[in-house]
Amino acid sequence: EESADRQTERKVVAVVGGGLVGALNACYFAKRGFQVEVFENREDIRKAKIVKGRSINLALSHRGRQALKRVGMEEKIVSKGIPMHARMIHSLTGKQSPIPYGKKGQYILSVDRANLNKELLTEAETYPNTNLNFDHKLQDWSAETGLMTFVRSDGSSNQVQADLIVGCDGAFSAIRKQFLRRSRFNYSQTYIPHGYMELTMPPIDGEFAMKPGFLHIWPRNTFMMIALPNLDKTFTCTLFMPFDEFEKITTGDEVIHFFQNYFPDAIPLIGVDALKRDYFRLPAQAMVSVKCSPYHIGDKCVLMGDAAHAIVPFYGQGMNAGFEDCIVFDEIMEQLNEDFSAVLPEYTRVRVPDDHAIADLAMYNYVEMRAHVNSKWFIFRKHVDNVLHLLMPKTIIPLYTMVTFTRTRYHQAVERWHWQDKVINRGLLLGAAGAAVGGAYLLAKNPPDVGKLVGPAEKMWDRILALKTP
Ligand code: FAD
């Protein structure tokens, strides 16, 4: 039994934002025994009818799963996820070819964002030392005193004090605004020219309209569409395209014409009428990449999740990285005995290079996913990487595998990738050179009409020199 004394001693942790990362983080702090107060701008999404928000479903992978596991939530979430073992590439002619994500048995999971958020809020509430305060919008706060001001939808406002403020209020974080006023705070934000739009592909005769065990991709260089399966046998299709292009399409017929040109196989699956209607339901949404450092102010405040690092969604790592933030912070809390004045700077030191690395990788994949998957060289190199990984599983690990199926620190995964790439490309070059030398030897023994060979040989050499890393 806890004495009144201990309860008043108990430190208050305010988690601002009850989205995916905030709700999970609340569990982490509650588990450590802090008095946790979550402040969320929205109404309780478990009661609200319409849940506004970004993407309907998300790809959950190893890092996110590990973070859920530590608060006993992994099974609950995984059991409602749909495994996706491979990308399914749709060509213009409608041909479908799978490219596995990893080895046999490795997969990512399509999970429902709203359900995940609800489950995490419910889990946080099971701790008696946690309060969820909905309809509380952080308006302002002081880094000196830790005093926060919240406004409510009825116009009232209240002030709250906390020992530690954890900013989990997303890409447009209100907590982060105070950081921007401070000296030596680095900040950059970049909007990419692409927007995204979600379209639903309904079931056909009560079954999935396409194979559900895959993340379907229609790569069209400047455009791209992807589709992830849902438990109700629908697919959520996301169309990524430059805003200019979105705006060019102004009528239902133009939508169909556009789909006929680029995604003809999807038209009957989404449905002509639905396409004509849903394209205009909501405007395309913007995507922003935010990088900053440090992630903390003194011993008072720390940023996590999208508030610290909004990344473009092309590596499927935004939430996973935010969930991993919670593990990393928790581990440092353990090492440094929950001393905020030591934990916060250490968290910045450890985590900034990794979150910056995944931000860069996501931006890199922005091009890779829509363009490179169409290139023969890219597909060839994926196969080479996978074969080498099978032969030398400890030496060569594909980048995607390190990012998605391990907890290798993001920045180390990038370093290793650059090294592997150099080694593999050199190996391929040596192999090609070896073949050329062998060929020359055979030719010397058996001289043919040289004139006939110069052209093809030159071409081959041009090819080798033109081989650039993807
Ligand atoms: P959010 O989910 O944005 O939550 C922030 C919360 O803070 C919200 O509930 C908001 O209401 C609240 N809030 C905001 N301001 C205030 C305030 N002033 N006061 C109080 N509360 C406030 N990630 C993946 O891992 N895999 C994927 O496949 C994937 N796909 C994506 C697809 C798209 C199209 C997009 C846009 C993102 C995708 N992501 C994916 C990224 C993922 O959505 C984010 O990384 C994740 O939602 C971050 O969680 P968060 O809790 O930090 O922020």
Side-chain angles (χ1 to χ4, degrees):
E1 203 180 285
E2 239 170 353
S3 71
D5 265 13
R6 278 250 352 240
Q7 284 197 344
T8 48
E9 268 173 34
R10 203 190 250 169
K11 286 194 169 151
V12 177
V13 174
V15 176
V16 178
L20 298 176
V21 175
L24 177 65
N25 231 342
C27 300
Y28 274 83
F29 286 102
K31 226 177 142 196
R32 290 198 163 272
F34 292 100
Q35 176 60 40
V36 181
E37 298 289 334
V38 178
F39 298 98
E40 166 57 45
N41 177 25
R42 294 173 300 178
E43 292 290 344
D44 189 343
I45 53 168
R46 294 166 299 177
K47 294 174 191 154
K49 279 212 187 87
I50 346 154
V51 180
K52 278 188 287 174
R54 282 167 314 173
S55 67
I56 290 158
N57 51 25
L58 309 124
L60 172 70
S61 51
H62 182 73
R63 293 171 205 263
R65 287 181 63 162
Q66 286 297 309
L68 291 169
K69 190 176 188 168
R70 294 190 183 203
V71 292
M73 290 291 287
E74 188 188 17
E75 271 325 299
K76 196 166 219 164
I77 300 305
V78 168
S79 65
K80 287 197 177 163
I82 303 177
M84 300 181 288
H85 294 269
R87 314 158 180 88
M88 184 64 93
I89 307 296
H90 292 239
S91 77
L92 245 161
T93 59
K95 194 178 145 233
Q96 299 186 24
S97 4
I99 307 180
Y101 277 122
K103 283 186 279 202
K104 226 179 163 173
Q106 282 181 324
Y107 54 84
I108 58 178
L109 285 156
S110 174
V111 300
D112 183 273
R113 177 193 292 270
N115 178 62
L116 176 57
N117 206 159
K118 288 175 188 175
E119 295 279 11
L120 287 171
L121 289 170
T122 297
E123 180 65 17
E125 245 176 6
T126 63
Y127 295 88
N129 48 329
T130 297
N131 274 322
L132 304 181
N133 306 275
F134 296 101
D135 183 23
H136 273 72
K137 180 178 188 161
L138 180 97
Q139 191 176 46
D140 200 10
W141 69 282
S142 158
E144 280 68 45
T145 62
L147 197 66
M148 296 167 282
T149 308
F150 294 96
V151 290
R152 312 203 53 189
S153 50
D154 64 5
S156 65
S157 72
N158 57 334
Q159 292 200 311
V160 180
Q161 183 101 38
D163 296 292
L164 177 68
I165 299 171
V166 186
C168 298
D169 50 346
F172 304 99
S173 170
I175 291 288
R176 202 176 56 217
K177 279 188 191 136
Q178 286 298 329
F179 283 67
L180 281 160
R181 298 206 182 129
R182 299 172 71 89
S183 173
R184 297 181 61 204
F185 179 64
N186 298 299
Y187 181 82
S188 73
Q189 99 178 22
T190 309
Y191 279 94
I192 55 171
H194 280 62
Y196 72 92
M197 177 181 285
E198 292 184 316
L199 301 163
T200 303
M201 185 181 281
I204 295 176
D205 297 330
E207 266 313 312
F208 281 106
M210 305 181 295
K211 287 187 184 159
F214 300 87
L215 192 157
H216 292 261
I217 309 182
W218 292 255
R220 298 295 181 262
N221 299 311
T222 27
F223 319 135
M224 171 174 81
M225 189 162 75
I226 66 170
L228 277 74
N230 299 308
L231 273 186
D232 64 1
K233 308 235 161 118
T234 60
F235 277 92
T236 302
C237 306
T238 311
L239 173 60
F240 295 94
M241 182 158 83
F243 276 100
D244 300 352
E245 303 292 336
F246 270 116
E247 283 151 18
K248 275 187 200 157
I249 299 171
T250 56
T251 67
D253 288 339
E254 280 167 6
V255 177
I256 301 302
H257 185 70
F258 171 76
F259 267 75
Q260 270 162 355
N261 280 338
Y262 295 102
F263 315 110
D265 61 333
I267 299 176
L269 304 180
I270 299 176
V272 171
D273 292 336
L275 256 179
K276 284 182 172 177
R277 186 184 59 231
D278 294 349
Y279 187 92
F280 301 100
R281 223 167 30 96
L282 276 176
Q285 306 288 304
M287 282 167 284
V288 69
S289 182
V290 172
K291 272 189 183 174
C292 67
S293 74
Y295 288 161
H296 73 286
I297 297 179
D299 62 355
K300 264 277 159 278
C301 180
V302 62
L303 300 173
M304 294 199 210
D306 278 17
H309 47 80
I311 65 181
V312 292
F314 304 101
Y315 227 111
Q317 283 293 310
M319 167 192 62
N320 285 288
F323 280 7
E324 194 179 46
D325 289 349
C326 301
I327 306 184
V328 171
F329 192 87
D330 194 61
E331 282 171 353
I332 296 171
M333 286 281 272
E334 193 61 38
Q335 282 161 23
L336 301 176
N337 297 315
E338 302 183 353
D339 170 4
F340 297 154
S341 67
V343 169
L344 269 53
E346 178 65 2
Y347 175 72
T348 286
R349 190 187 70 77
V350 171
R351 198 55 180 162
V352 166
D354 290 322
D355 285 331
H356 285 195
I358 191 59
D360 294 341
L361 278 179
M363 202 56 105
Y364 164 82
N365 231 36
Y366 166 45
V367 180
E368 173 167 307
M369 251 183 115
R370 66 193 150 89
H372 291 158
V373 284
N374 284 329
S375 106
K376 294 228 162 69
W377 170 246
F378 173 82
I379 293 166
F380 170 66
R381 268 302 310 270
K382 276 256 145 89
H383 283 307
V384 170
D385 290 7
N386 288 340
V387 169
L388 289 174
H389 181 46
L390 279 180
L391 295 175
M392 306 178 276
K394 294 233 168 67
T395 314
I396 302 291
I397 309 170
L399 175 65
Y400 191 88
T401 299
M402 288 190 277
V403 168
T404 310
F405 300 121
T406 77
R407 280 202 56 218
T408 306
R409 291 184 60 184
Y410 287 126
H411 87 274
Q412 282 170 350
V414 171
E415 278 165 13
R416 199 182 171 123
W417 171 50
H418 289 316
W419 174 82
Q420 286 179 175
D421 227 40
K422 238 193 258 167
V423 170
I424 295 173
N425 278 335
R426 269 194 206 148
L428 288 173
L429 201 66
L430 269 176
V437 170
Y441 173 76
L442 286 178
L443 291 176
K445 278 187 81 180
N446 208 346
D449 181 352
V450 179
K452 271 193 198 149
L453 276 171
V454 172
E458 237 169 27
K459 257 190 209 141
M460 184 182 88
W461 193 241
D462 280 353
R463 275 260 167 86
I464 291 174
L465 290 179
L467 294 182
K468 277 201 230 101
T469 48

